[in-house]
């Protein structure tokens, strides 16, 4: 194989490998999946539960089945937690809790939301707007927190 052919074939392999990584990172899904997709929250009336032990400290968060669970204060009452949709309504970016600022932020275009779902700031450097986050009612039983989607 000549040098030019070798470089060309290696270059194509790198492009294919990088594209595969990008597609994986840009897919949407549960448990902290990346952004770039559409926001498909669970159907209305769905119950999604996680163990309280999976979010033991103030500021801890976990995602399950399209619901983001956040511990905002000490204690094991429902007022110590927030449950929202896990993906940004703008373009499906992953949402995370920023403990120091006490806000929810999209990791794709940096939209920001209050704990009650109100929009603080819309998408940055991106076209379009966002809507308020869906915030779900919660209940606690047998060491689990359950969000009921709406």
């Amino acid at each position: 194989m000549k040098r030019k052919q070798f470089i060309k074939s290696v270059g194509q392999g790198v492009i294919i490998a990088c594209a595969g990584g990008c597609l994986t990172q840009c897919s949407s899904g549960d448990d902290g999946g990346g952004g770039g997709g559409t926001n498909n929250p669970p159907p209305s009336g769905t119950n999604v539960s996680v163990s309280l032990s999976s979010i033991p400290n103030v500021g801890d968060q976990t995602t399950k089945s399209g619901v983001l669970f956040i511990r905002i204060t000490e204690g094991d009452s429902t007022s110590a937690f927030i449950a929202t949709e896990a993906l940004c309504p703008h373009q499906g970016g992953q949402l995370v809790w920023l403990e120091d600022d006490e806000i929810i932020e999209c990791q794709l275009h940096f939209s920001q939301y209050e704990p009650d779902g109100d929009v603080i700031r819309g998408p940055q450097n991106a076209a379009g707007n966002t809507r308020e986050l869906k915030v779900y009612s919660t209940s606690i039983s047998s060491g689990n927190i359950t969000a009921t989607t709406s």
Side-chain angles (χ1 to χ4, degrees):
M1 178 180 284
K2 294 184 179 182
R3 188 175 85 134
K4 187 175 181 180
Q5 290 173 321
F6 175 77
I7 292 172
K8 184 177 178 182
S9 68
V10 169
Q12 289 172 344
V14 169
I15 290 170
I16 291 169
C18 290
C22 178
L23 291 173
T24 300
Q25 292 299 316
C26 293
S27 66
S28 62
D30 286 346
D31 304 312
T38 58
N39 185 354
N40 294 316
S44 184
T46 301
N47 290 326
V48 179
S49 297
V50 296
S51 170
L52 293 176
S53 64
S54 68
I55 40 178
N57 303 306
V58 173
D60 287 352
Q61 56 200 306
T62 190
T63 300
K64 182 177 180 187
S65 300
V67 177
L68 173 63
F69 293 88
I70 307 164
R71 179 183 285 272
I72 57 169
T73 64
E74 295 289 333
D76 287 341
S77 67
T78 56
S79 63
F81 300 90
I82 302 170
T84 71
E85 57 192 303
L87 299 177
C88 182
H90 172 241
Q91 288 186 346
Q94 179 182 357
L95 295 172
V96 297
W97 174 251
L98 302 179
E99 175 61 24
D100 291 342
D101 299 321
E102 296 185 346
I103 61 172
I104 300 166
E105 184 175 78
C106 173
Q107 298 300 283
L108 187 58
H109 293 118
F110 306 102
S111 295
Q112 294 180 340
Y113 305 89
E114 293 181 358
D116 65 1
D118 289 345
V119 176
I120 297 170
R121 179 178 77 192
Q124 304 298 293
N125 301 315
N129 295 311
T130 190
R131 61 165 168 75
E132 291 184 355
L133 286 182
K134 292 182 180 180
V135 177
Y136 305 126
S137 63
T138 57
S139 61
I140 294 178
S141 178
S142 302
N144 293 313
I145 181 167
T146 301
T148 302
T149 62
S150 55

